[in-house]
Structures are given as structure tokens and as C-alpha cells.
Amino acid sequence: MRVKDLAADRSAAGLPELSLIVLAEGPEAIAADTQLNRVVARQYLVRALRAVQRLDAEHRSDPALTAVREMLDGMDVDAALHWALRPEVTGWIWRSEVGAADPARLLRLLADCLAYEPAAAPASVRLGGAGPVGTSAPVVTGDGLAQGSLLLGWASEGDEEAVRLDPARARSFASRLQAAADILEQVWPEGLAVVATDIRAFGALGGHRGLKPLNFSVHGLRGLVLTSERPAYMLAQSLVHEATHQRFSGVLDCVSLVRNPKATHYSPFVDAERPLGHILHGILSFINDAYAAGRYQPTESDPVELDRLERYRLQKAGQLRTAEKNLLEAAELTAAGEQLMAGCREAISRLSRG
């Protein structure tokens, strides 16, 4: 890939209508998510190229830099954009942009990133979907650099530690996620299409919360989703929930949604005061989560599970109305924020009507 090839590529020229990325219904929404993904990928590719250029000034002969240059030289624009949104690449980019980052450490981390090979994973999850984004996501086991030990180490820097898996355990974990993806394919194929665009890899978390959700994404590790194991329909909700977090993180990388980002208000999702960006994350992700529950509900025959689904949908609809009200009380929305909230208001209204 030559830089002038990237400059000439106009397919990532601008963000889509943001109201369309709230909830995947129909080809227009899927196309909007694909366009957003490409815009975000272009931004990360440019950031990666700039990071390499900064290191080149004094370390041009470093083997990791040589390997990156040679790899990108052999790629077309589509392949380079796909590479730039791999979670280990975005993780390295964020670390390269820290003002006091040590060049020697960055070069070691870059070499470790290049050692990660998704194809070496003992298990993966077929997600389907069309376009340049791959149709399966590997399970990151953390069994050495080739299987993502650096990536899981970064993901474990917060409150929850990712579980390292042996091959048999990775295959079992992948089968649980596959059952969830298969449910989405049956009840909400557009939901699976955006999952395929927005999720690139999975990591495992311990199941110590039982049926309570335990899943998260990390803004700087784009496309990586960590989750515990739960019944398949609950994991289907988690897939669209986390894909939405990934999608919204991309929006936040590109455009400001509020003019007062430091403002806070009460979030009913966590029963605590949170910054407006966190509340927006919750609104978008629980819109998709509750919608997935509603799409699955007519296929369930167990009265216990039907009751659980109905109570969950009603609870989330109420929380979404409260979160919308609180956000609009505090937020000074930009034009882009108005677009996004128009889609959120419509979705919340529909969910509230059942």
C-alpha cells in the first residue's frame, strides 16, 4: 500500500448519518455501520503510519519497523484498513501516542504485536456478514505471543482479569458463543451483520456472576470483546451489546457529541453518577441488548425464561427512558449528537411500546 493510494481512496470520506447506527434494521443501517467502521479504520491506519514515522527518525533499522513497512507495502488499502483495526494494533497505537512513551519499549511492544497471529487460535466463532471485514473471530487464549498473551494482558489491566484457555477450553468457549451467534442469525440477522463488522476477537472471563452479565470492551483495544459464559440467548444479547460499545467508541474517536463532556448525571444502568459519554454508551448498548431480547422472545417456549425475558425488557425500557431524560437535561448536544439522539429517541420509544 502506498500512502497516495490511501489518500486517493474516497470510500471513507465521511461519517454516515449517525441516527442509522443506533439499531441495525435493514440494509441502510448495515451500510451505515460498514461506512463508520471504514472511517474509523482509516483514522487508525493514519495514526499507525504516523507512529511508525516518528520511530523511524532514530530507529529505522529496527526489525519490527522493517517488518511493518514490508507488511504494509504488500497490502492493498482494504487489507491495510482491516489490519489497522485489529485490537493489538489499536492497543499499540494508543500507547505510542502517550507523550512520555519510551521508544525502546514501543519497539518491543510492536514486535510482540506482530507476533500475534489470529489464525493460530485453536477456536473461532463464525459471525457471517458481508464486506471486507472477516466473517469469524478467534478466541484469544493467551498461550504465548502468537495466541495473544500481550493482548489479554492489556485487557486485564482493569477490574476483571481475562482467563487463559487451553485448546479444549477455548473450543468449549467458542461453541457457547457460536450458539449465541446462531440465535442472532435466526432471530435478528441484521444484528449479526453488525456484530460481524464490529467484533474482531473474543476473550474469556470467569463465570463467577452466574446468570448476571459479565462482559466488557476496552476503548483502546478495538474489536476485542471479553465475556463470561451464560445461556446462549443471553450471550446473543451480549454480542450486540458489546458490538454497540465498539461501534460507539468509533463514533467518539471521530466526532464530538456534546460540548460539555465533563458533565455528569445519574445513570440508571449502574445506579451511580456517570459522565455523559458513559451514559450514552449505556443508552446505545442497552437499546440493542433489549431489542435482541425482544426478537428472541417469540421463539422461547420455557415459561420461566419467557418471564425472565419480559421482566428484563420492561426493566431496560424503563432505565432507557430515565437515561434519555437525564442525558437531555445535562447534555449540550453538537449537531452530530443531535443526529445520534434522534435515533436513540425513536428506538427507546419503540421499545417502550413493546
Side-chain angles (χ1 to χ4, degrees):
M1 181 205 70
R2 297 171 299 177
V3 172
K4 68 178 182 180
D5 295 331
L6 180 62
D9 178 55
R10 306 307 301 164
S11 64
L15 289 169
E17 164 65 47
L18 291 182
S19 64
L20 293 174
I21 66 100
V22 172
L23 191 61
E25 293 185 288
E28 194 176 16
I30 295 172
D33 185 42
T34 301
Q35 175 65 9
L36 171 63
N37 187 270
R38 194 170 183 93
V39 171
V40 176
R42 190 183 193 282
Q43 182 187 111
Y44 274 98
L45 180 56
V46 169
R47 289 165 66 178
L49 292 171
R50 288 173 176 166
V52 169
Q53 186 178 44
R54 288 193 298 269
L55 290 168
D56 261 346
E58 296 184 9
H59 305 276
R60 185 169 180 80
S61 61
D62 183 87
L65 291 177
T66 300
V68 167
R69 287 192 299 268
E70 291 177 351
M71 178 183 65
L72 289 172
D73 283 346
M75 290 178 170
D76 61 19
V77 171
D78 284 352
L81 292 172
H82 185 67
W83 171 82
L85 272 190
R86 283 171 50 154
E88 77 282 9
V89 178
T90 62
W92 181 80
I93 291 168
W94 277 92
R95 283 157 179 78
S96 75
E97 293 172 345
V98 176
D102 174 33
R105 183 170 182 270
L106 287 176
L107 292 168
R108 290 194 300 271
L109 290 175
L110 180 58
D112 291 347
C113 288
L114 294 172
Y116 171 53
E117 180 47 67
S124 61
V125 184
R126 299 183 310 279
L127 297 176
V133 178
T135 59
S136 66
V139 171
V140 182
T141 67
D143 184 19
L145 289 172
Q147 294 190 19
S149 57
L150 176 67
L151 189 53
L152 288 194
W154 281 342
S156 299
E157 291 175 349
D159 296 333
E160 297 288 345
E161 186 170 352
V163 177
R164 270 60 175 174
L165 303 175
D166 61 34
R169 185 71 184 82
R171 288 189 288 270
S172 174
F173 179 65
S175 70
R176 291 290 192 95
L177 290 168
Q178 190 62 61
D182 293 345
I183 284 175
L184 279 180
E185 185 173 31
Q186 176 189 358
V187 304
W188 187 17
E190 300 96 335
L192 182 61
V194 296
V195 166
T197 297
D198 297 322
I199 296 180
R200 301 288 293 273
F202 292 101
L205 297 172
H208 55 274
R209 291 188 184 177
L211 293 181
K212 293 183 179 179
L214 177 59
N215 43 269
F216 70 89
S217 299
V218 179
H219 184 99
L221 303 176
R222 193 54 49 82
L224 176 66
V225 166
L226 295 104
T227 183
S228 63
E229 296 184 35
R230 297 192 296 155
Y233 80 82
M234 294 182 180
L235 280 177
Q237 293 169 222
S238 295
L239 289 182
V240 294
H241 183 110
E242 292 304 325
T244 307
H245 279 308
Q246 297 287 343
R247 185 157 65 256
F248 185 55
S249 286
V251 173
L252 293 178
D253 279 333
C254 296
V255 66
S256 295
L257 299 172
V258 296
R259 298 184 185 88
N260 55 335
K262 294 184 179 180
T264 64
H265 209 311
Y266 172 76
S267 169
F269 308 118
V270 294
D271 191 24
E273 196 87 359
R274 286 290 183 268
L276 299 183
H278 290 216
I279 297 175
L280 265 171
H281 258 294
I283 288 172
L284 285 158
S285 59
F286 280 110
I287 283 173
N288 283 267
D289 194 314
Y291 187 79
R295 292 292 290 257
Y296 174 74
Q297 194 169 355
T299 72
E300 179 59 73
S301 58
D302 184 333
V304 173
E305 298 305 322
L306 279 170
D307 181 64
R308 192 200 310 274
L309 282 160
E310 183 63 14
R311 284 186 286 109
Y312 183 82
R313 287 198 315 107
L314 290 173
Q315 178 197 44
K316 292 307 170 191
Q319 289 178 344
L320 283 163
R321 290 192 298 270
T322 299
E324 176 192 355
K325 171 181 171 292
N326 291 354
L327 182 83
L328 294 176
E329 282 179 356
E332 299 171 10
L333 295 172
T334 65
E338 294 281 5
Q339 275 189 22
L340 188 72
M341 281 308 299
C344 290
R345 283 194 294 270
E346 169 62 22
I348 292 169
S349 176
R350 289 177 53 196
L351 289 168
S352 296
R353 295 194 299 267

